[in-house]
Amino acid sequence: MESLSKASLLLLPLLFLSLLSDSHGEGIAVYWGQNGGEGSLAETCNTKNYQFVNIAFLSTFGNGQTPQLNLAGHCDPQSNGCTGLSSDITTCQNGGVKVLLSLGGGAGSYSLNSAEEANQLATYLWDNFLGGQSGSRPLGDAVLDGIDFDIESGGREHWDELARALSGFSSQRKVYLSAAPQCIIPDERLDSAIQTGLFDYVWVQFYNNPSCQYSSGNTDNLISSWNQWITVPATQVFMGLPAAEAAAPSGGFVPSDVLISQVLPKIKQSSKYGGVMLWSRFYDLQNDYSNNIIGSV
């Protein structure tokens, strides 16, 4: 019995380290909000497939414009019709899912023309979506976990200042920051922001960019680009992929069997590997992609 007790004591530190490793975890991030046919936010989180959901998008801001949500087909923010999402957000968070608001997108009217505008937007986001207080919270009273930068247009400057300003609010309540750069490195708009080292998650869009995506059975460009991205100063890097061929007109779709057998074993060797990001919940629902890969992520 004595020798058994000693063995048990020796195993305890290993068990503790194992639990720590598991708690760090890897998972799937997904974008939700741009197709009314993708189901509700609560339904998305209740699948238990996703560790992160990005609500897409706050697509109007800067240049003197009033910030405006566009949640195509789900609700009308202009009539205060999206406040009901508050209960869905809480459902997600209670299930262990981090919910972020994504800025930008592929279509919209957004830019930052000065450091002052960056600071103003950070304050607006804190007051209306994060831990601050505002009477006009577009998504209701629920407190989001952070902000995602999906900046695909709107100039190249001041995104680093926005990241610093948002990060400053973490002294009051942690604000998670994520970024969705194109896979061509450095990203022409987000590089300065990513180089601040403030981003918790960088989910790189390895699609719609032929030079750094999967194509015709060849993973070389994809893996080569991944190996560059894991050198950026971010806590975790995710492989961003289309959940179906239709999700990326310019290519980059990786069949789930190829991802599992040829890609994941290589990218998971990095200590910065965080998981897989999917565009989007609608296409994932059509193609069952996350269900196919979740056991291997």
Side-chain angles (χ1 to χ4, degrees), residues 97-147:
V97 180
K98 288 185 172 63
V99 184
L100 293 82
L101 174 65
S102 186
L103 310 180
S109 173
Y110 59 88
S111 64
L112 290 176
N113 295 326
S114 66
E116 182 181 7
E117 273 200 344
N119 288 319
Q120 288 173 349
L121 179 60
T123 299
Y124 171 84
L125 293 169
W126 172 257
D127 287 342
N128 287 276
F129 297 99
L130 301 169
Q133 297 295 322
S134 169
S136 63
R137 295 177 70 92
L139 297 178
D141 293 334
V143 177
L144 298 183
D145 295 290
I147 301 295

Side-chain angles (χ1 to χ4, degrees), residues 154-176:
R156 303 179 182 182
E157 297 183 352
H158 309 298
W159 304 111
D160 55 336
E161 289 158 319
L162 177 60
R164 289 188 183 96
L166 286 167
S167 181
F169 287 111
S170 286
S171 61
Q172 300 176 59
R173 187 183 193 276
K174 171 63 178 175
V175 177
Y176 289 91

Side-chain angles (χ1 to χ4, degrees), residues 32-65:
W32 175 94
Q34 285 300 293
N35 193 301
E38 65 196 339
S40 72
L41 181 59
E43 289 167 347
T44 297
C45 293
N46 285 338
T47 64
K48 307 298 183 186
N49 283 8
Y50 312 111
Q51 187 179 11
F52 306 89
V53 175
N54 297 303
I55 296 178
F57 292 101
L58 187 80
S59 58
T60 299
F61 58 83
N63 199 29
Q65 302 174 102

Side-chain angles (χ1 to χ4, degrees), residues 47-231:
T47 64
K48 307 298 183 186
N49 283 8
Y50 312 111
Q51 187 179 11
F52 306 89
V53 175
N54 297 303
I55 296 178
F57 292 101
L58 187 80
S59 58
T60 299
F61 58 83
N63 199 29
Q65 302 174 102
T66 300
Q68 187 66 55
L69 282 169
N70 178 345
L71 300 180
H74 287 286
C75 55
D76 179 13
Q78 294 192 27
S79 63
N80 213 29
C82 298
T83 56
L85 285 174
S86 183
S87 60
D88 285 36
I89 293 165
T90 302
T91 294
C92 292
Q93 293 169 329
N94 287 344
V97 180
K98 288 185 172 63
V99 184
L100 293 82
L101 174 65
S102 186
L103 310 180
S109 173
Y110 59 88
S111 64
L112 290 176
N113 295 326
S114 66
E116 182 181 7
E117 273 200 344
N119 288 319
Q120 288 173 349
L121 179 60
T123 299
Y124 171 84
L125 293 169
W126 172 257
D127 287 342
N128 287 276
F129 297 99
L130 301 169
Q133 297 295 322
S134 169
S136 63
R137 295 177 70 92
L139 297 178
D141 293 334
V143 177
L144 298 183
D145 295 290
I147 301 295
D148 174 61
F149 289 46
D150 184 13
I151 307 303
E152 302 183 34
S153 63
R156 303 179 182 182
E157 297 183 352
H158 309 298
W159 304 111
D160 55 336
E161 289 158 319
L162 177 60
R164 289 188 183 96
L166 286 167
S167 181
F169 287 111
S170 286
S171 61
Q172 300 176 59
R173 187 183 193 276
K174 171 63 178 175
V175 177
Y176 289 91
L177 296 180
S178 65
Q182 305 294 306
C183 57
I184 297 172
I185 191 167
D187 184 272
E188 63 176 324
R189 293 182 175 86
L190 286 173
D191 183 59
S192 63
I194 292 170
Q195 292 303 323
T196 64
L198 296 173
F199 283 80
D200 301 283
Y201 317 110
V202 173
W203 20 74
V204 185
Q205 298 185 47
F206 290 99
Y207 50 93
N208 291 333
N209 288 287
S211 67
C212 46
Q213 68 190 26
Y214 173 83
S215 179
S216 304
N218 192 325
T219 64
D220 291 350
N221 289 347
L222 178 66
I223 300 300
S224 176
S225 182
W226 167 267
N227 288 335
Q228 289 181 283
W229 276 103
I230 56 176
T231 67

